[in-house]
Amino acid sequence: MHATVFGALAEPSRLRIVELLRTGPRSVGEIAESLEIRQPQVSKHLRVLGDSGIVAVEAIARHRIYHLERAPFEEIERWAGSFEQLWHARLDSLGAFLDTLDSAEHQQD
């Protein structure tokens, strides 16, 4: 798991840009207008997102259209999924504990 991906996503404006790009590719101007952020700031954030591999750009006529790259998100999914077994075990333990509390409460009634 590359820390640069998480670092890039940790900044709120960049996360908002990623959320917007989930709906489809957009130009810098469209992103700036939708998120009410100045265009130079959007360009700066897109540069960080691009350097981390989260977004890619395509030149169409005079416009630069940005879209999300699939690979970083698949990597995050694999990494987060590796914790699934741990969480199942912990939730099972919590469920057993709560059942114990519930049984003890019914015995006191």
Side-chain angles (χ1 to χ4, degrees), residues 7-84:
L9 293 173
E11 204 284 329
S13 293
R14 288 194 287 267
L15 187 56
R16 290 176 57 213
I17 291 169
V18 168
E19 288 295 323
L20 180 64
L21 290 176
R22 286 177 66 183
T23 64
R26 300 195 190 262
S27 70
V28 175
E30 291 171 323
I31 295 168
E33 184 178 318
S34 293
L35 300 179
E36 298 178 349
I37 302 173
R38 292 184 22 231
Q39 192 164 338
Q41 289 301 108
V42 170
S43 295
K44 180 179 165 184
H45 289 308
L46 287 168
R47 189 172 320 113
V48 172
L49 291 169
D51 289 347
S52 65
I54 295 172
V55 300
V57 63
E58 180 181 356
I60 299 177
R62 294 183 349 213
H63 300 283
R64 296 174 58 82
I65 307 299
Y66 289 84
H67 65 272
L68 294 177
E69 286 291 308
R70 184 178 299 263
F73 297 100
E74 290 172 343
E75 190 173 345
I76 290 170
E77 180 180 22
R78 281 191 303 277
W79 179 78
S82 71
F83 292 94
E84 185 176 4

